[in-house]
Amino acid sequence: MEYEIELKLSTTVQAGELIETHLLSKIAASVKQRELELSNSYFDTTQRDFRKNGMGLRIRGCQHEYEQTIKTAGKSVAGLAQRPEYNVALGKNVLSPPTLPDLSLFPAEIWPANFDLSGVQAQLHCLFETHFKRTVYLLTYNQHSQIELVWDRGSVRANNKQDEINEVELELKQGKVNELFVLARQLAMFMPLKVGLLSKAARGYRLLKTKADKVVFAPMTSLSKSTIEAAQPPALREHLTKHLECWQQLINQFEAEPNGQHFSELKIHWQQLSLLLDRCCKTQQATVELKSDFENFNNAWQTLILRYQHGTSAEQEYLDVVALLTGKTAILLQLTIMQYLAPKKNT
């Protein structure tokens, strides 16, 4: 069993060239680089037994070498995933890929109570596939600190549809979780990045949905200022986690469909999130980065709102809002909040 701690980011550029030009020569780490071509088939039952239990099941192939993997339910905070992962090698120099995973090869203790293993095995079928090229940069800072930085580009394919993959992932191999965010902030200084809220598996399940399955996103119930001011640290962190995730989803929603309703939801939610951040900045755990990144984004947001307060050009306003919400100031704030919320354990 491996315990995966991973930060997933998406981008719109050729990340490898930028990483090699602007990062690798500037960090105090040894670098081992390799190129891979990966194919993955994801499996579930018609009843979605794995999806319902927060599990992901796949067979991965790379250069005629195959392994089956199950990722079990773990913790996720706005793009930082922490979950157990079980891998079983299925052989090297295999000419044809295995058609189905063998669930009996995984440890018996990973299955939920009353999980019908034999019945689920009989119903397994492939739902979707991913195919992508991966550039791996294994960064070793010292004997206690190692991060695997990867750039994936390709596609998720399901239901005669496909979704582009252009992702940068940071996986902590050894060291402190904070080190992931230090590296992510370095990347954000020279390339456009967004927090990846959906895994490749989640994107595959999304492609399987029809228009009738579309989920309408509902913003959260607002908190009063007195509730926020009175909140103790555990409650404050819980509120901040939920409101950050909501804000990130609203950003994606507005970027995809910029309109008056979505803009209004964004403005209302930022008022809530800014109150929470202001309260967090008064705690002992608040970092200099949290205070400065909050101030920088809030100033940029308020300036933008004031610029268009007379409603001169909604179209241009929406373009400017999207630029701000998907720009450096916004991603740095999100990363800082995620770092504030992340557990401080070492691997």
Side-chain angles (χ1 to χ4, degrees), residues 59-60 66-68 88-92 94 98 100-102 105:
I59 290 178
R60 166 167 288 178
Y66 295 89
E67 70 174 7
Q68 64 180 47
V88 178
L90 299 178
K92 298 181 179 180
V94 179
L100 288 173
D102 182 351
L105 298 178

Side-chain angles (χ1 to χ4, degrees), residues 49-256:
D49 290 282
F50 289 89
R51 184 69 167 163
K52 290 175 183 175
N53 285 285
M55 307 171 89
L57 176 65
R58 75 176 184 220
I59 290 178
R60 166 167 288 178
C62 179
Q63 298 175 330
H64 302 292
E65 183 174 347
Y66 295 89
E67 70 174 7
Q68 64 180 47
T69 297
I70 189 163
K71 296 188 179 185
T72 57
K75 298 179 181 179
S76 179
V77 179
L80 178 70
Q82 303 176 72
R83 61 195 309 194
E85 175 180 296
Y86 299 85
N87 300 300
V88 178
L90 299 178
K92 298 181 179 180
N93 301 316
V94 179
L95 296 180
S96 58
T99 55
L100 288 173
D102 182 351
L103 301 183
S104 68
L105 298 178
F106 293 120
E109 65 269 16
I110 72 172
W111 305 114
N114 302 318
F115 193 80
D116 181 9
L117 194 63
S118 59
V120 168
Q121 176 73 58
Q123 297 180 56
L124 280 182
H125 61 279
C126 181
L127 293 181
F128 52 88
E129 298 177 344
T130 65
H131 301 271
F132 55 91
K133 293 181 179 180
R134 166 169 287 182
T135 303
V136 181
Y137 307 94
L138 185 62
L139 309 179
T140 303
Y141 294 86
N142 55 57
Q143 62 179 339
H144 304 296
S145 177
Q146 188 178 71
I147 295 174
E148 186 176 79
L149 169 64
V150 306
W151 173 41
D152 292 341
R153 60 274 190 204
S155 62
V156 185
R157 303 172 189 174
N159 209 20
N160 295 318
K161 296 180 287 186
Q162 67 176 30
D163 199 7
E164 180 189 9
I165 294 171
N166 192 0
E167 298 175 342
V168 175
E169 296 180 359
L170 294 73
E171 183 176 347
L172 188 66
K173 294 297 187 180
Q174 190 174 7
K176 300 177 180 179
V177 175
N178 279 347
E179 294 165 10
L180 286 181
F181 293 100
V182 172
L183 180 57
R185 288 179 69 88
Q186 291 174 316
L187 294 169
M189 299 308 291
F190 59 81
M191 74 168 73
L193 293 171
K194 288 176 59 180
V195 174
L197 300 180
L198 295 178
S199 66
K200 294 180 181 69
R203 292 170 66 182
Y205 279 106
R206 185 176 64 178
L207 287 176
L208 293 172
K209 293 181 178 180
T210 64
K211 290 183 178 179
D213 297 321
K214 185 177 180 180
V215 176
V216 178
F217 178 68
M220 298 184 64
T221 304
S222 62
L223 299 169
S224 68
K225 188 173 181 178
S226 60
T227 298
I228 293 173
E229 289 297 329
Q232 295 301 306
L236 188 61
R237 294 174 69 88
E238 182 179 351
H239 291 319
L240 183 59
T241 299
K242 292 179 179 178
H243 279 75
L244 172 61
E245 292 173 344
C246 181
W247 187 51
Q248 290 171 324
Q249 292 181 58
L250 286 171
I251 289 173
N252 290 345
Q253 176 181 262
F254 184 76
E255 184 184 11

Side-chain angles (χ1 to χ4, degrees), residues 252-307:
N252 290 345
Q253 176 181 262
F254 184 76
E255 184 184 11
E257 298 179 68
N259 58 47
Q261 178 184 340
H262 294 163
F263 189 30
S264 177
E265 292 170 354
L266 265 172
K267 288 190 288 187
I268 292 170
H269 193 77
W270 174 250
Q271 291 176 351
Q272 285 279 290
L273 186 55
S274 63
L275 287 173
L276 284 165
L277 288 170
D278 184 65
R279 174 72 174 84
C280 289
C281 286
K282 297 173 183 175
T283 65
Q284 293 182 345
Q285 294 76 26
T287 62
V288 172
E289 289 82 8
L290 180 63
K291 295 175 183 178
S292 62
D293 289 342
F294 171 42
E295 181 180 3
N296 290 340
F297 179 83
N298 195 44
N299 287 343
W301 177 260
Q302 298 302 332
T303 299
L304 188 57
I305 298 300
L306 288 173
R307 185 190 307 163

